[in-house]
Amino acid sequence: MNVARRDVLRVLALLPGAALAAAGTGACTGTPEEPPAPDPLVELAARARADAATASAVAAAVPALAAAAGEVAGARGEHAAALRAEVDRERPPVSSSSAPPPEPASPPADVAAARALLVDALTAAQKEAGTLVASLPRYRAGLVGSVAASCASLREVLA
Amino acid sequence: MTSPSPAPSSLPSDAASAVQAALGAEHAAIWVYGLVSAFLPEQFAGAVTDGANAHRARRDATELLLADAGEAPRPAEPAYVPPQPVTEQASAIAVLVLAETDTTVAWRAVLERTDDATLRANALQALTDAAVRATRWRRAAGESPAAAAFPGRPAS
């Protein structure tokens, strides 16, 4: 009993120290009053989610591309979920609700135009992710590098 | 070689062992491309040549990078053992997919073990190229999905 209470006190005593340590690391990137810089993965996750919605719309509207666009939709949806999970792991969200997914523009019915729409989106996504890889922490460099490589691979599926 | 940027003059040990493992994957892939050509019809000859050349170029660049950092590049094994015997087109394509997949895993591991921007750029290019070739071979085999969502992520 005595020991247990001492343990509780020790744990409580540690908390201010931990808070100070956290404040100390925060001071390296700015004053405590400033809001933290936006997580660069938020943008990648939003792009992946928008691409998934566009690819789903193409898969539904263009029968010739149903299988390929469906594969793009599935993979980009997985990218969005993994990137979002990494953002939330680093900085747990205050509320669990996130912004509603953007409404995809109605896709072109023309096969070539619909394919070009998806290929261009994948090229832009690969470039955005690839550019970020140089500056990310190591674990994130692996994740974002895989997303970039996947976007390049998905273009092959549409070829 | 077209890369104008100098290699890092020294490699921390975790990055060096990851690059050595990636070199090992390149050696294995070159061996596999040499093995399969006898089992694939003429229509794949161009893809086999391109893949083999890409892996040789990556091997050479990786050996240079290691040597410049004062590391002895790991030599190729005398032979490799495919998990399934290669006897015809399907098993030949399966071992190509495996070789490319192993290559993606090795290069993604490099991304996670270095902060050096030049080495990361090389690793990302190698990861991307191997993932694209793996996708093409899966398509040739009629596999779906053909593209991995997370190329190079180790199987857990």
Side-chain angles (χ1 to χ4, degrees):
Chain A
M1 190 62 198
N2 234 350
V3 175
R5 187 179 302 145
R6 214 164 38 230
D7 282 348
V8 169
L9 288 174
R10 188 180 300 138
V11 167
L12 290 175
L14 280 172
L15 284 175
L20 277 177
T25 55
C28 297
T29 52
T31 56
E33 288 78 24
E34 277 176 22
D39 189 323
L41 265 52
V42 168
E43 195 115 328
L44 293 190
R47 183 189 280 280
R49 200 165 55 151
D51 286 354
T54 303
S56 290
V58 167
V62 187
L65 291 177
E71 181 170 343
V72 173
R76 293 297 281 150
E78 286 191 57
H79 295 165
L83 292 164
R84 189 74 234 176
E86 171 58 17
V87 168
D88 291 348
R89 187 190 64 80
E90 192 97 325
R91 200 177 295 163
V94 180
S95 88
S96 60
S97 71
S98 53
E103 279 298 310
S106 54
D110 176 58
V111 175
R115 182 187 282 121
L117 177 73
L118 294 181
V119 166
D120 290 350
L122 290 167
T123 301
Q126 181 194 356
K127 188 163 182 285
E128 186 180 29
T131 304
L132 213 47
V133 162
S135 59
L136 291 172
R138 292 180 177 191
Y139 167 72
R140 289 181 155 206
L143 172 65
V144 173
S146 276
V147 168
S150 179
C151 290
S153 304
L154 289 166
R155 275 203 309 269
E156 290 297 317
V157 174
L158 291 161
Chain B
M1 289 297 97
T2 53
S3 171
S5 41
S9 58
S10 77
L11 279 173
S13 65
D14 58 342
S17 58
V19 174
Q20 292 280 19
L23 175 58
E26 297 294 348
H27 283 314
I30 292 164
W31 186 88
V32 164
Y33 272 89
L35 167 74
V36 296
S37 53
F39 300 97
L40 291 175
E42 185 59 29
Q43 68 181 107
F44 296 116
V48 169
T49 302
D50 290 351
N53 286 342
H55 284 292
R56 279 192 211 100
R58 188 65 63 184
R59 173 201 61 191
D60 294 348
T62 308
E63 286 179 342
L64 270 180
L65 185 151
L66 285 164
D68 286 351
E71 304 275 339
R74 167 200 285 193
E77 303 290 334
Y80 297 82
V81 182
Q84 264 102 46
V86 174
T87 55
E88 31 61 284
Q89 179 175 330
S91 52
I93 293 180
V95 76
L96 284 169
V97 170
L98 181 67
E100 296 294 359
T101 306
D102 285 353
T103 306
T104 64
V105 171
W107 284 110
R108 171 165 157 161
V110 173
L111 277 184
E112 295 182 334
R113 281 166 188 78
T114 184
D115 301 313
D116 182 88
T118 304
L119 181 51
R120 278 194 188 183
N122 283 329
L124 176 62
Q125 192 61 55
L127 162 61
T128 302
D129 292 349
V132 165
R133 285 190 297 269
T135 303
R136 289 184 185 148
W137 288 122
R138 286 193 206 95
R139 267 165 66 86
E143 275 180 48
S144 180
F150 300 98
R153 187 168 69 180
S156 52

